[in-house]
Amino acid sequence: MIPGLTWGARPSERTAKLACDALFPGARVQADRAISINARPAIVFSWLCQLRVAPYSYDLLDNFGRRSPRERNPELLHLEVGQRFMTVFALQSFVGGEQITLRSKGVAVTYAVRTERAGSRLHVRVLFGGPWVSARLLALGDLVMMRKQLLTLKSLAEQEAAFAG
């Protein structure tokens, strides 16, 4: 396994079919990231919808120094194909409470949420196009940013679940 292409993803997740696979069948590099979250899928999905307004990663680097919101805006749950996510992505498809699939030039990504025991499992697949070396370098950079994003979303979802508790 090549370092940087997976983080937290189980073998079954790395081979699962996700919506982004159909968008980008010729992708040069596939990266899978996953995390278990102690919150119901509905809460996790609602935090994914927040990606419309902020990346929830290293805000200094990818949000022009603005802090990603720490409270959910319920209006962001209303999804429509074509909406912007994290400035550079467009929503390609979604299944409420289950998955969102985004596309940008040379990149397709699916965030999929499923029930796992009393909580959720969030699996993200990112597909990169372009020359292999460039795609591989993007995947390595994405690993750093996506890891932070998933840990932040986990923390926020678990805080909300504990408060609602």
Side-chain angles (χ1 to χ4, degrees):
M1 184 179 334
I2 299 171
L5 296 185
T6 63
W7 178 79
R10 299 171 180 150
S12 61
E13 290 168 327
R14 293 193 306 266
T15 59
K17 295 291 182 200
L18 295 179
C20 64
D21 299 335
L23 284 178
F24 211 159
R28 304 287 282 171
V29 173
Q30 173 181 315
D32 288 277
R33 293 78 164 84
I35 195 166
S36 294
I37 302 174
N38 293 320
R40 294 183 340 269
I43 292 174
V44 175
F45 185 82
S46 67
W47 279 103
L48 290 178
C49 292
Q50 293 294 124
L51 295 174
R52 287 176 51 195
V53 296
Y56 289 88
S57 185
Y58 293 102
D59 289 335
L60 188 62
L61 296 174
D62 63 1
N63 202 24
F64 307 106
R66 294 183 309 249
R67 187 168 193 218
S68 297
R70 293 314 196 241
E71 292 184 17
R72 283 193 306 106
N73 177 345
E75 292 180 18
L76 296 176
L77 287 170
H78 305 290
L79 300 178
E80 294 179 21
V81 170
Q83 288 173 322
R84 303 303 299 169
F85 272 71
M86 298 176 280
T87 308
V88 298
F89 290 97
L91 180 63
Q92 293 296 302
S93 67
F94 65 94
V95 176
E98 294 179 21
Q99 69 92 7
I100 60 172
T101 298
L102 311 173
R103 179 90 193 236
S104 184
K105 185 176 181 174
V107 179
V109 57
T110 294
Y111 292 78
V113 182
R114 64 178 166 75
T115 300
E116 180 180 70
R117 292 184 287 282
S120 302
R121 183 79 173 159
L122 175 56
H123 173 204
V124 184
R125 175 167 299 147
V126 188
L127 301 175
F128 299 92
W132 187 87
V133 172
S134 304
R136 186 71 181 89
L137 290 173
L138 284 172
L140 283 172
D142 178 73
L143 172 64
V144 174
M145 304 306 279
M146 179 73 67
R147 180 182 179 278
K148 172 66 170 156
Q149 180 187 70
L150 296 183
L151 290 170
T152 300
L153 293 172
K154 172 186 172 75
S155 175
L156 292 167
E158 288 179 350
Q159 287 173 25
E160 182 176 331
F163 182 74

